[in-house]
Amino acid sequence: MAKSKFYAFKGEENKIFTSWNECSDFMTGKKGYTYKSFSSLSEAEAYLNGVDYYDDLIKKDLNSGYAVAYTDGSYEETINGYSYGVIAIALNGEEERYSGFGQDKEFLSSRNVAGEAIGAITAIKWAYLNGFDKLKIYHDYAGLAFWADRTWAAKSPISSWYISELKRYLSVVKVEFVKVKGHSNDKYNEEVDKLAKNALLYGEYLPLKISKGFKADGDIYGEFLEKFNREAGKCEISYRGDGVGFKRGDDFVFAFKTNGYTLVSGNFGFLYSLAASVACKFYRGNARKIGLILSEAFDADVYFSDNDKNVGFNAAKRIAEKTVTDNYAPLCIFALHEIEFKIKALLSLGKNDRISDCFYSDGEIFKLKSGFEKSRKAEELYNYFYNNRTRFYSLYMTKERFDEFIESVEAMGE
């Protein structure tokens, strides 16, 4: 059954018709009219009243607590590649634009649908990393909604990937899909289509500004902020909605409490690695939980057996194997925190006891305060920990140097 069209004529008198024959009859002998066709009566009425229909919808969404995203995908056979475009609108109305290009062999058979799916996931990831708990996605490919609500079975490689990615984010972000007609006078739909085509044809890529994130249990949020703030040292602190931001030089992280989760986001660096390691401290003794957090945080398979006694050392090594960067030093924090736990074990300290309270400076080295059983091993480990922890932000390590560091610190902890 053909869908109705609404023809809105604007001039001496405004009219809306649902058939082209009525339009022709009305226009006979008349001049000075302009008209546009729409897929809904409300859009046609908005046009005649001088109202931007989609601008008005977006304002209502934002006022209802929904972040908004427009997404689109494209494909070019001669290039044998697909692309996506995203316009993301934060609750304060600030707009950001993202786009990208791909040639994954598994996805190429899906043509522009591959771009549609990746664009939608990019929008959801943007909402997740920025702490928005509700998102409306305006899109022109129906499958995005039908796969999500299981109306359509996920049979293709791209649809299977799409569903698996949705599972990662939907526990934190509530997503609603709004179908729009392509090329139907919606300025955002037209622009997002252009973003996708510019990425496809001209290599104009706009990656996400914040690229990494992970979630932990919501009940640790307050204590996490306290511990992280103490360990991070001097940072610029800012507030975004219900979240807190920490910035040190080019490094930054955000922390939010969203839909019952503690959510942390940022880019790879010292603060982000520190945040992931601090979060893992809350789950000491639960190797499975630590593995889940780190796997999500660094897009790597970082799993441990329940009897793994060197989680910090092994975490540093496994994440490094999956990471490509100029400086691997941020990952040292996992090994340093492992040393911290080993010192606590040697001194029979509790979970929240601070090892710095147990030592005093004796010239260039630290020694145990009176009241503690003498332990040369504890003193050796603390001096190593202190010397590296205090200069953590200034460390620089190639992969080779990092591997040597982990090997030496692991041997010291045995």
Side-chain angles (χ1 to χ4, degrees), residues 381-407:
L381 289 176
Y382 183 73
N383 278 282
Y384 190 89
F385 171 83
Y386 179 86
N387 289 332
N388 285 282
R389 185 65 184 89
T390 53
R391 60 191 184 98
F392 173 60
Y393 293 110
S394 63
L395 293 174
Y396 179 85
M397 293 184 184
T398 62
K399 180 62 166 60
E400 183 180 15
R401 175 68 189 93
F402 173 81
D403 291 340
E404 292 172 355
F405 171 85
I406 295 299
E407 185 178 346

PDB file of all heavy atoms in Angstrom, residues 381-407:
ATOM      1  N   LEU A 381      60.316  -2.804  48.248  1.00  0.00           N
ATOM      2  CA  LEU A 381      59.175  -2.598  47.345  1.00  0.00           C
ATOM      3  C   LEU A 381      58.638  -1.181  47.440  1.00  0.00           C
ATOM      4  O   LEU A 381      58.295  -0.563  46.425  1.00  0.00           O
ATOM      5  CB  LEU A 381      58.060  -3.598  47.667  1.00  0.00           C
ATOM      6  CG  LEU A 381      58.318  -5.066  47.298  1.00  0.00           C
ATOM      7  CD1 LEU A 381      57.165  -5.934  47.759  1.00  0.00           C
ATOM      8  CD2 LEU A 381      58.523  -5.217  45.793  1.00  0.00           C
ATOM      9  N   TYR A 382      58.552  -0.632  48.647  1.00  0.00           N
ATOM     10  CA  TYR A 382      58.007   0.720  48.793  1.00  0.00           C
ATOM     11  C   TYR A 382      58.912   1.756  48.141  1.00  0.00           C
ATOM     12  O   TYR A 382      58.420   2.693  47.485  1.00  0.00           O
ATOM     13  CB  TYR A 382      57.795   1.080  50.260  1.00  0.00           C
ATOM     14  CG  TYR A 382      57.158   2.441  50.398  1.00  0.00           C
ATOM     15  CD1 TYR A 382      55.815   2.627  50.084  1.00  0.00           C
ATOM     16  CD2 TYR A 382      57.904   3.560  50.782  1.00  0.00           C
ATOM     17  CE1 TYR A 382      55.229   3.884  50.170  1.00  0.00           C
ATOM     18  CE2 TYR A 382      57.326   4.813  50.874  1.00  0.00           C
ATOM     19  CZ  TYR A 382      55.989   4.971  50.558  1.00  0.00           C
ATOM     20  OH  TYR A 382      55.409   6.218  50.628  1.00  0.00           O
ATOM     21  N   ASN A 383      60.203   1.628  48.290  1.00  0.00           N
ATOM     22  CA  ASN A 383      61.114   2.579  47.659  1.00  0.00           C
ATOM     23  C   ASN A 383      60.980   2.526  46.134  1.00  0.00           C
ATOM     24  O   ASN A 383      60.991   3.559  45.465  1.00  0.00           O
ATOM     25  CB  ASN A 383      62.559   2.308  48.087  1.00  0.00           C
ATOM     26  CG  ASN A 383      62.880   2.922  49.435  1.00  0.00           C
ATOM     27  OD1 ASN A 383      63.121   4.125  49.549  1.00  0.00           O
ATOM     28  ND2 ASN A 383      62.870   2.096  50.486  1.00  0.00           N
ATOM     29  N   TYR A 384      60.850   1.307  45.596  1.00  0.00           N
ATOM     30  CA  TYR A 384      60.663   1.159  44.150  1.00  0.00           C
ATOM     31  C   TYR A 384      59.329   1.779  43.733  1.00  0.00           C
ATOM     32  O   TYR A 384      59.247   2.530  42.751  1.00  0.00           O
ATOM     33  CB  TYR A 384      60.704  -0.320  43.770  1.00  0.00           C
ATOM     34  CG  TYR A 384      60.754  -0.560  42.284  1.00  0.00           C
ATOM     35  CD1 TYR A 384      61.966  -0.635  41.605  1.00  0.00           C
ATOM     36  CD2 TYR A 384      59.577  -0.692  41.549  1.00  0.00           C
ATOM     37  CE1 TYR A 384      62.013  -0.843  40.236  1.00  0.00           C
ATOM     38  CE2 TYR A 384      59.616  -0.900  40.185  1.00  0.00           C
ATOM     39  CZ  TYR A 384      60.833  -0.977  39.529  1.00  0.00           C
ATOM     40  OH  TYR A 384      60.868  -1.183  38.170  1.00  0.00           O
ATOM     41  N   PHE A 385      58.279   1.460  44.493  1.00  0.00           N
ATOM     42  CA  PHE A 385      56.945   1.994  44.213  1.00  0.00           C
ATOM     43  C   PHE A 385      56.958   3.529  44.272  1.00  0.00           C
ATOM     44  O   PHE A 385      56.475   4.199  43.347  1.00  0.00           O
ATOM     45  CB  PHE A 385      55.941   1.435  45.233  1.00  0.00           C
ATOM     46  CG  PHE A 385      54.590   2.082  45.183  1.00  0.00           C
ATOM     47  CD1 PHE A 385      53.632   1.671  44.267  1.00  0.00           C
ATOM     48  CD2 PHE A 385      54.258   3.120  46.048  1.00  0.00           C
ATOM     49  CE1 PHE A 385      52.386   2.270  44.212  1.00  0.00           C
ATOM     50  CE2 PHE A 385      53.019   3.727  46.004  1.00  0.00           C
ATOM     51  CZ  PHE A 385      52.072   3.295  45.084  1.00  0.00           C
ATOM     52  N   TYR A 386      57.518   4.097  45.331  1.00  0.00           N
ATOM     53  CA  TYR A 386      57.518   5.547  45.521  1.00  0.00           C
ATOM     54  C   TYR A 386      58.263   6.254  44.389  1.00  0.00           C
ATOM     55  O   TYR A 386      57.770   7.244  43.827  1.00  0.00           O
ATOM     56  CB  TYR A 386      58.155   5.891  46.862  1.00  0.00           C
ATOM     57  CG  TYR A 386      58.208   7.379  47.131  1.00  0.00           C
ATOM     58  CD1 TYR A 386      57.130   8.045  47.707  1.00  0.00           C
ATOM     59  CD2 TYR A 386      59.342   8.122  46.783  1.00  0.00           C
ATOM     60  CE1 TYR A 386      57.177   9.414  47.939  1.00  0.00           C
ATOM     61  CE2 TYR A 386      59.382   9.484  47.006  1.00  0.00           C
ATOM     62  CZ  TYR A 386      58.315  10.130  47.586  1.00  0.00           C
ATOM     63  OH  TYR A 386      58.349  11.481  47.800  1.00  0.00           O
ATOM     64  N   ASN A 387      59.433   5.745  44.039  1.00  0.00           N
ATOM     65  CA  ASN A 387      60.254   6.402  43.013  1.00  0.00           C
ATOM     66  C   ASN A 387      59.567   6.429  41.656  1.00  0.00           C
ATOM     67  O   ASN A 387      59.694   7.403  40.900  1.00  0.00           O
ATOM     68  CB  ASN A 387      61.613   5.706  42.902  1.00  0.00           C
ATOM     69  CG  ASN A 387      62.497   5.969  44.103  1.00  0.00           C
ATOM     70  OD1 ASN A 387      62.368   7.000  44.753  1.00  0.00           O
ATOM     71  ND2 ASN A 387      63.377   5.026  44.421  1.00  0.00           N
ATOM     72  N   ASN A 388      58.846   5.367  41.326  1.00  0.00           N
ATOM     73  CA  ASN A 388      58.159   5.319  40.032  1.00  0.00           C
ATOM     74  C   ASN A 388      56.787   5.988  40.073  1.00  0.00           C
ATOM     75  O   ASN A 388      56.373   6.605  39.093  1.00  0.00           O
ATOM     76  CB  ASN A 388      58.016   3.868  39.560  1.00  0.00           C
ATOM     77  CG  ASN A 388      59.323   3.299  39.040  1.00  0.00           C
ATOM     78  OD1 ASN A 388      59.738   3.568  37.920  1.00  0.00           O
ATOM     79  ND2 ASN A 388      59.998   2.526  39.887  1.00  0.00           N
ATOM     80  N   ARG A 389      56.103   5.885  41.220  1.00  0.00           N
ATOM     81  CA  ARG A 389      54.757   6.473  41.310  1.00  0.00           C
ATOM     82  C   ARG A 389      54.825   7.993  41.300  1.00  0.00           C
ATOM     83  O   ARG A 389      53.984   8.663  40.683  1.00  0.00           O
ATOM     84  CB  ARG A 389      54.070   5.985  42.589  1.00  0.00           C
ATOM     85  CG  ARG A 389      52.610   6.445  42.730  1.00  0.00           C
ATOM     86  CD  ARG A 389      51.744   5.831  41.645  1.00  0.00           C
ATOM     87  NE  ARG A 389      50.380   6.329  41.722  1.00  0.00           N
ATOM     88  CZ  ARG A 389      49.938   7.428  41.100  1.00  0.00           C
ATOM     89  NH1 ARG A 389      50.774   8.173  40.371  1.00  0.00           N
ATOM     90  NH2 ARG A 389      48.671   7.796  41.196  1.00  0.00           N
ATOM     91  N   THR A 390      55.825   8.568  41.963  1.00  0.00           N
ATOM     92  CA  THR A 390      55.908  10.029  42.036  1.00  0.00           C
ATOM     93  C   THR A 390      56.310  10.656  40.706  1.00  0.00           C
ATOM     94  O   THR A 390      56.063  11.843  40.484  1.00  0.00           O
ATOM     95  CB  THR A 390      56.900  10.474  43.127  1.00  0.00           C
ATOM     96  OG1 THR A 390      58.158   9.809  42.912  1.00  0.00           O
ATOM     97  CG2 THR A 390      56.365  10.138  44.508  1.00  0.00           C
ATOM     98  N   ARG A 391      56.933   9.879  39.828  1.00  0.00           N
ATOM     99  CA  ARG A 391      57.286  10.439  38.509  1.00  0.00           C
ATOM    100  C   ARG A 391      56.466   9.795  37.392  1.00  0.00           C
ATOM    101  O   ARG A 391      56.809   9.881  36.216  1.00  0.00           O
ATOM    102  CB  ARG A 391      58.787  10.257  38.244  1.00  0.00           C
ATOM    103  CG  ARG A 391      59.287   8.828  38.223  1.00  0.00           C
ATOM    104  CD  ARG A 391      60.803   8.753  38.232  1.00  0.00           C
ATOM    105  NE  ARG A 391      61.274   7.379  38.114  1.00  0.00           N
ATOM    106  CZ  ARG A 391      61.675   6.812  36.982  1.00  0.00           C
ATOM    107  NH1 ARG A 391      61.671   7.510  35.863  1.00  0.00           N
ATOM    108  NH2 ARG A 391      62.088   5.561  36.955  1.00  0.00           N
ATOM    109  N   PHE A 392      55.349   9.210  37.770  1.00  0.00           N
ATOM    110  CA  PHE A 392      54.499   8.479  36.838  1.00  0.00           C
ATOM    111  C   PHE A 392      54.143   9.304  35.598  1.00  0.00           C
ATOM    112  O   PHE A 392      54.273   8.845  34.467  1.00  0.00           O
ATOM    113  CB  PHE A 392      53.224   8.037  37.578  1.00  0.00           C
ATOM    114  CG  PHE A 392      52.169   7.405  36.709  1.00  0.00           C
ATOM    115  CD1 PHE A 392      52.426   6.249  35.988  1.00  0.00           C
ATOM    116  CD2 PHE A 392      50.901   7.971  36.623  1.00  0.00           C
ATOM    117  CE1 PHE A 392      51.449   5.667  35.204  1.00  0.00           C
ATOM    118  CE2 PHE A 392      49.913   7.391  35.851  1.00  0.00           C
ATOM    119  CZ  PHE A 392      50.182   6.238  35.133  1.00  0.00           C
ATOM    120  N   TYR A 393      53.718  10.550  35.803  1.00  0.00           N
ATOM    121  CA  TYR A 393      53.245  11.366  34.677  1.00  0.00           C
ATOM    122  C   TYR A 393      54.369  11.799  33.735  1.00  0.00           C
ATOM    123  O   TYR A 393      54.086  12.276  32.632  1.00  0.00           O
ATOM    124  CB  TYR A 393      52.507  12.598  35.194  1.00  0.00           C
ATOM    125  CG  TYR A 393      51.209  12.277  35.897  1.00  0.00           C
ATOM    126  CD1 TYR A 393      51.089  12.440  37.271  1.00  0.00           C
ATOM    127  CD2 TYR A 393      50.106  11.806  35.193  1.00  0.00           C
ATOM    128  CE1 TYR A 393      49.896  12.153  37.925  1.00  0.00           C
ATOM    129  CE2 TYR A 393      48.917  11.507  35.830  1.00  0.00           C
ATOM    130  CZ  TYR A 393      48.822  11.678  37.195  1.00  0.00           C
ATOM    131  OH  TYR A 393      47.646  11.379  37.835  1.00  0.00           O
ATOM    132  N   SER A 394      55.599  11.655  34.147  1.00  0.00           N
ATOM    133  CA  SER A 394      56.716  12.074  33.288  1.00  0.00           C
ATOM    134  C   SER A 394      57.404  10.890  32.607  1.00  0.00           C
ATOM    135  O   SER A 394      58.365  11.074  31.867  1.00  0.00           O
ATOM    136  CB  SER A 394      57.750  12.861  34.098  1.00  0.00           C
ATOM    137  OG  SER A 394      58.323  12.046  35.106  1.00  0.00           O
ATOM    138  N   LEU A 395      56.913   9.679  32.856  1.00  0.00           N
ATOM    139  CA  LEU A 395      57.546   8.496  32.273  1.00  0.00           C
ATOM    140  C   LEU A 395      57.290   8.414  30.778  1.00  0.00           C
ATOM    141  O   LEU A 395      56.225   8.805  30.283  1.00  0.00           O
ATOM    142  CB  LEU A 395      57.012   7.225  32.949  1.00  0.00           C
ATOM    143  CG  LEU A 395      57.363   7.014  34.424  1.00  0.00           C
ATOM    144  CD1 LEU A 395      56.632   5.790  34.961  1.00  0.00           C
ATOM    145  CD2 LEU A 395      58.869   6.857  34.600  1.00  0.00           C
ATOM    146  N   TYR A 396      58.277   7.890  30.068  1.00  0.00           N
ATOM    147  CA  TYR A 396      58.104   7.610  28.640  1.00  0.00           C
ATOM    148  C   TYR A 396      58.728   6.247  28.357  1.00  0.00           C
ATOM    149  O   TYR A 396      59.879   5.997  28.737  1.00  0.00           O
ATOM    150  CB  TYR A 396      58.765   8.670  27.755  1.00  0.00           C
ATOM    151  CG  TYR A 396      58.603   8.353  26.284  1.00  0.00           C
ATOM    152  CD1 TYR A 396      57.458   8.737  25.598  1.00  0.00           C
ATOM    153  CD2 TYR A 396      59.575   7.613  25.609  1.00  0.00           C
ATOM    154  CE1 TYR A 396      57.288   8.412  24.260  1.00  0.00           C
ATOM    155  CE2 TYR A 396      59.397   7.275  24.272  1.00  0.00           C
ATOM    156  CZ  TYR A 396      58.259   7.680  23.602  1.00  0.00           C
ATOM    157  OH  TYR A 396      58.074   7.340  22.293  1.00  0.00           O
ATOM    158  N   MET A 397      57.961   5.367  27.712  1.00  0.00           N
ATOM    159  CA  MET A 397      58.472   4.025  27.448  1.00  0.00           C
ATOM    160  C   MET A 397      58.034   3.531  26.077  1.00  0.00           C
ATOM    161  O   MET A 397      56.839   3.562  25.745  1.00  0.00           O
ATOM    162  CB  MET A 397      57.957   3.024  28.493  1.00  0.00           C
ATOM    163  CG  MET A 397      58.479   3.247  29.889  1.00  0.00           C
ATOM    164  SD  MET A 397      57.901   1.949  31.013  1.00  0.00           S
ATOM    165  CE  MET A 397      58.566   2.551  32.573  1.00  0.00           C
ATOM    166  N   THR A 398      59.002   3.070  25.288  1.00  0.00           N
ATOM    167  CA  THR A 398      58.676   2.326  24.080  1.00  0.00           C
ATOM    168  C   THR A 398      58.140   0.972  24.518  1.00  0.00           C
ATOM    169  O   THR A 398      58.219   0.593  25.700  1.00  0.00           O
ATOM    170  CB  THR A 398      59.923   2.128  23.220  1.00  0.00           C
ATOM    171  OG1 THR A 398      60.880   1.347  23.975  1.00  0.00           O
ATOM    172  CG2 THR A 398      60.549   3.466  22.837  1.00  0.00           C
ATOM    173  N   LYS A 399      57.640   0.197  23.590  1.00  0.00           N
ATOM    174  CA  LYS A 399      57.135  -1.135  23.939  1.00  0.00           C
ATOM    175  C   LYS A 399      58.265  -1.992  24.507  1.00  0.00           C
ATOM    176  O   LYS A 399      58.063  -2.737  25.487  1.00  0.00           O
ATOM    177  CB  LYS A 399      56.541  -1.811  22.693  1.00  0.00           C
ATOM    178  CG  LYS A 399      55.982  -3.209  22.935  1.00  0.00           C
ATOM    179  CD  LYS A 399      54.847  -3.207  23.928  1.00  0.00           C
ATOM    180  CE  LYS A 399      54.081  -4.514  23.914  1.00  0.00           C
ATOM    181  NZ  LYS A 399      54.858  -5.697  24.227  1.00  0.00           N
ATOM    182  N   GLU A 400      59.445  -1.916  23.935  1.00  0.00           N
ATOM    183  CA  GLU A 400      60.577  -2.701  24.415  1.00  0.00           C
ATOM    184  C   GLU A 400      60.950  -2.301  25.838  1.00  0.00           C
ATOM    185  O   GLU A 400      61.159  -3.164  26.708  1.00  0.00           O
ATOM    186  CB  GLU A 400      61.781  -2.506  23.485  1.00  0.00           C
ATOM    187  CG  GLU A 400      62.991  -3.339  23.872  1.00  0.00           C
ATOM    188  CD  GLU A 400      64.155  -3.128  22.925  1.00  0.00           C
ATOM    189  OE1 GLU A 400      64.136  -2.140  22.154  1.00  0.00           O
ATOM    190  OE2 GLU A 400      65.084  -3.956  22.944  1.00  0.00           O
ATOM    191  N   ARG A 401      61.008  -0.996  26.089  1.00  0.00           N
ATOM    192  CA  ARG A 401      61.354  -0.518  27.430  1.00  0.00           C
ATOM    193  C   ARG A 401      60.255  -0.904  28.421  1.00  0.00           C
ATOM    194  O   ARG A 401      60.537  -1.257  29.569  1.00  0.00           O
ATOM    195  CB  ARG A 401      61.531   1.002  27.392  1.00  0.00           C
ATOM    196  CG  ARG A 401      61.776   1.632  28.759  1.00  0.00           C
ATOM    197  CD  ARG A 401      63.127   1.241  29.328  1.00  0.00           C
ATOM    198  NE  ARG A 401      63.269   1.668  30.703  1.00  0.00           N
ATOM    199  CZ  ARG A 401      62.987   0.927  31.774  1.00  0.00           C
ATOM    200  NH1 ARG A 401      62.519  -0.310  31.601  1.00  0.00           N
ATOM    201  NH2 ARG A 401      63.144   1.394  32.988  1.00  0.00           N
ATOM    202  N   PHE A 402      59.015  -0.831  28.000  1.00  0.00           N
ATOM    203  CA  PHE A 402      57.900  -1.202  28.868  1.00  0.00           C
ATOM    204  C   PHE A 402      57.987  -2.681  29.257  1.00  0.00           C
ATOM    205  O   PHE A 402      57.800  -3.032  30.431  1.00  0.00           O
ATOM    206  CB  PHE A 402      56.572  -0.922  28.156  1.00  0.00           C
ATOM    207  CG  PHE A 402      55.366  -1.418  28.897  1.00  0.00           C
ATOM    208  CD1 PHE A 402      54.825  -0.687  29.948  1.00  0.00           C
ATOM    209  CD2 PHE A 402      54.777  -2.625  28.561  1.00  0.00           C
ATOM    210  CE1 PHE A 402      53.719  -1.146  30.641  1.00  0.00           C
ATOM    211  CE2 PHE A 402      53.673  -3.098  29.246  1.00  0.00           C
ATOM    212  CZ  PHE A 402      53.142  -2.354  30.287  1.00  0.00           C
ATOM    213  N   ASP A 403      58.260  -3.542  28.286  1.00  0.00           N
ATOM    214  CA  ASP A 403      58.383  -4.978  28.581  1.00  0.00           C
ATOM    215  C   ASP A 403      59.495  -5.233  29.605  1.00  0.00           C
ATOM    216  O   ASP A 403      59.345  -6.061  30.505  1.00  0.00           O
ATOM    217  CB  ASP A 403      58.660  -5.754  27.300  1.00  0.00           C
ATOM    218  CG  ASP A 403      57.469  -5.784  26.359  1.00  0.00           C
ATOM    219  OD1 ASP A 403      56.335  -5.548  26.834  1.00  0.00           O
ATOM    220  OD2 ASP A 403      57.662  -6.029  25.154  1.00  0.00           O
ATOM    221  N   GLU A 404      60.598  -4.513  29.471  1.00  0.00           N
ATOM    222  CA  GLU A 404      61.715  -4.660  30.419  1.00  0.00           C
ATOM    223  C   GLU A 404      61.289  -4.205  31.815  1.00  0.00           C
ATOM    224  O   GLU A 404      61.629  -4.844  32.811  1.00  0.00           O
ATOM    225  CB  GLU A 404      62.916  -3.833  29.935  1.00  0.00           C
ATOM    226  CG  GLU A 404      63.565  -4.368  28.666  1.00  0.00           C
ATOM    227  CD  GLU A 404      64.617  -3.414  28.125  1.00  0.00           C
ATOM    228  OE1 GLU A 404      64.751  -2.301  28.696  1.00  0.00           O
ATOM    229  OE2 GLU A 404      65.288  -3.772  27.135  1.00  0.00           O
ATOM    230  N   PHE A 405      60.552  -3.107  31.864  1.00  0.00           N
ATOM    231  CA  PHE A 405      60.085  -2.595  33.150  1.00  0.00           C
ATOM    232  C   PHE A 405      59.187  -3.616  33.845  1.00  0.00           C
ATOM    233  O   PHE A 405      59.360  -3.897  35.046  1.00  0.00           O
ATOM    234  CB  PHE A 405      59.320  -1.285  32.950  1.00  0.00           C
ATOM    235  CG  PHE A 405      58.617  -0.788  34.181  1.00  0.00           C
ATOM    236  CD1 PHE A 405      59.288  -0.026  35.125  1.00  0.00           C
ATOM    237  CD2 PHE A 405      57.284  -1.079  34.388  1.00  0.00           C
ATOM    238  CE1 PHE A 405      58.641   0.427  36.257  1.00  0.00           C
ATOM    239  CE2 PHE A 405      56.622  -0.633  35.522  1.00  0.00           C
ATOM    240  CZ  PHE A 405      57.301   0.122  36.464  1.00  0.00           C
ATOM    241  N   ILE A 406      58.210  -4.144  33.109  1.00  0.00           N
ATOM    242  CA  ILE A 406      57.283  -5.107  33.707  1.00  0.00           C
ATOM    243  C   ILE A 406      58.019  -6.346  34.176  1.00  0.00           C
ATOM    244  O   ILE A 406      57.752  -6.889  35.256  1.00  0.00           O
ATOM    245  CB  ILE A 406      56.180  -5.484  32.701  1.00  0.00           C
ATOM    246  CG1 ILE A 406      55.313  -4.275  32.380  1.00  0.00           C
ATOM    247  CG2 ILE A 406      55.309  -6.611  33.248  1.00  0.00           C
ATOM    248  CD1 ILE A 406      54.596  -3.696  33.583  1.00  0.00           C
ATOM    249  N   GLU A 407      58.977  -6.805  33.399  1.00  0.00           N
ATOM    250  CA  GLU A 407      59.748  -7.986  33.781  1.00  0.00           C
ATOM    251  C   GLU A 407      60.514  -7.734  35.082  1.00  0.00           C
ATOM    252  O   GLU A 407      60.540  -8.591  35.979  1.00  0.00           O
ATOM    253  CB  GLU A 407      60.732  -8.353  32.658  1.00  0.00           C
ATOM    254  CG  GLU A 407      61.500  -9.633  32.918  1.00  0.00           C
ATOM    255  CD  GLU A 407      62.428  -9.993  31.770  1.00  0.00           C
ATOM    256  OE1 GLU A 407      62.285  -9.402  30.669  1.00  0.00           O
ATOM    257  OE2 GLU A 407      63.286 -10.881  31.959  1.00  0.00           O
TER     258      GLU A 407
END
